[in-house]
Amino acid sequence: MKLRKVTAAAAAALVLSLTATACGGDDKDSDTGSGSTDGGGTIKVGIKYDQPGLGLKEAGGDFSGFDVDVATYVAKELGYAPDKIEFVETKSADRETALARGDVKFIAATYSITDERKQKVDFAGPYLLAHQDLLTKADSDITEATDLNGKKLCSVTGSTSAQNVKDEIAPKAQLRSYGTYSECIAGLQSGAVDAVTTDDSILAGFAAQEQYKGQFKLAGLKLSNENYGIGVKKGDTETVNKINAALEKMVSDGAWETAVKENFGPANYKNEPAPKIGDIKS
Ligand code: GLU
């Protein structure tokens, strides 16, 4: 994957945010004290740190990925330039707690909108539709979910992927729940597990990594609909509305498409078209 210091979307965000600041129309300091924003004009945003193409902390400390670009665009619309964003790692199992505690203002971290999660957090979006899939070694004979019976299948604690495995996809698989997908991928490479399951967007990003090229294959099964939303603290309707407006703008001004091409192009991931706000595919 190409390393980028500042993405095109982030650069555009900077220009626009300077304009926004000049107009002075935001109320970024109104929630001082929640911990997720401060009087100095910074905002804390939850992302993944280990998912290439979506949310990745590079070796040099830069951040890249589609979620990073979406988060950067949204933050700009909320009145925060890229250099005012503090990214915080929010692993799958930690997202609801991070929002409830006010550790972050919002989360853009391959975070599927579900009824269960909506009991605890609010969502803006969706901004991407992905599907659960399987990743195996290139020479594996696992091609269908039914081939997983008795096999060691890795997913991540707190994810819809792990839950779907238990509930319907492969209840008879030996589910190994790890803390992150990069740990699952390491397990697949070493032979500790036979397959990894999560969103196709995430798996494609790993499979395209230089060190894994040619070693893995995606089954290409659309085992679920994963509607990615931006998580915010329960009850913060004002932020949800602002983020929805930002996401609509990101699609209409072409920044969404640019971010898709830059981040999913290298992984050859064929994403679904931009979803409409509020249109959740079940
Ligand atoms: N999108 C799914 C979820 O929100 C799987 C990816 C993840 O764990 O972030 O649980």
Side-chain angles (χ1 to χ4, degrees):
M1 181 149 310
K2 201 170 76 153
L3 300 189
R4 288 169 287 119
K5 239 197 148 47
V6 180
T7 64
L14 178 61
V15 173
L16 287 166
S17 74
L18 292 175
T19 319
T21 309
C23 299
D26 67 85
D27 57 356
K28 62 182 173 241
D29 294 341
S30 62
D31 54 355
T32 299
S34 74
S36 56
T37 54
D38 68 25
T42 62
I43 187 167
K44 290 194 179 131
V45 176
I47 56 163
K48 294 293 185 70
Y49 273 18
D50 70 325
Q51 296 178 191
L54 282 152
L56 186 70
K57 186 171 183 183
E58 313 273 8
D62 291 335
F63 297 94
S64 70
F66 183 68
D67 280 342
V68 170
D69 287 352
V70 169
T72 303
Y73 190 101
V74 165
K76 171 256 295 180
E77 291 297 311
L78 296 179
Y80 298 88
D83 65 346
K84 299 292 181 200
I85 301 172
E86 192 187 320
F87 287 116
V88 175
E89 184 178 28
T90 44
K91 293 180 183 169
S92 296
D94 301 338
R95 293 176 289 202
E96 289 83 18
T97 316
L99 288 170
R101 280 201 305 239
D103 295 350
V104 291
K105 184 71 176 171
F106 66 84
I107 290 180
T110 60
Y111 199 8
S112 299
I113 302 171
T114 69
D115 288 340
E116 203 185 331
R117 289 173 179 164
K118 278 202 275 187
Q119 309 290 316
K120 296 181 183 157
V121 302
D122 284 343
F123 285 102
Y127 64 92
L128 190 76
L129 175 63
H131 306 280
Q132 188 166 350
D133 200 355
L134 301 176
L135 190 74
T136 61
K137 286 251 177 81
D139 59 1
S140 170
D141 48 16
I142 298 171
T143 56
E144 300 289 339
T146 45
D147 297 333
L148 293 166
N149 284 336
K151 295 274 169 42
K152 295 187 206 84
L153 176 62
C154 192
S155 200
V156 162
T157 311
S159 68
T160 54
S161 329
Q163 197 59 45
N164 292 342
V165 166
K166 289 187 239 170
D167 293 349
E168 50 193 310
I169 294 172
K172 294 203 177 102
Q174 299 176 42
L175 181 64
R176 302 280 190 265
S177 294
Y178 292 1
T180 60
Y181 295 105
S182 48
E183 292 168 69
C184 282
I185 298 294
L188 182 61
Q189 197 181 29
S190 74
V193 296
D194 302 305
V196 179
T197 187
T198 187
D199 307 338
D200 46 11
S201 49
I202 300 172
L203 297 173
F206 277 113
Q209 291 294 285
E210 206 49 51
Q211 70 265 39
Y212 300 131
K213 276 235 165 91
Q215 292 185 41
F216 301 144
K217 70 171 181 227
L218 269 155
L221 311 170
K222 289 185 163 54
L223 299 169
S224 71
N225 286 331
E226 303 296 325
N227 303 271
Y228 288 4
I230 307 267
V232 306
K233 192 177 199 150
K234 182 107 191 120
D236 189 357
T237 313
E238 194 186 331
T239 303
V240 169
N241 292 340
K242 284 184 187 171
I243 295 177
N244 278 335
L247 293 173
E248 265 169 359
K249 190 170 163 195
M250 188 176 184
V251 172
S252 65
D253 72 8
W256 188 92
E257 198 58 46
T258 303
V260 153
K261 286 209 184 87
E262 278 197 17
N263 295 295
F264 297 143
N268 204 20
Y269 174 63
K270 303 277 174 276
N271 61 282
E272 300 271 6
K276 294 263 175 295
I277 297 302
D279 181 15
I280 317 281
K281 301 273 183 253
S282 54

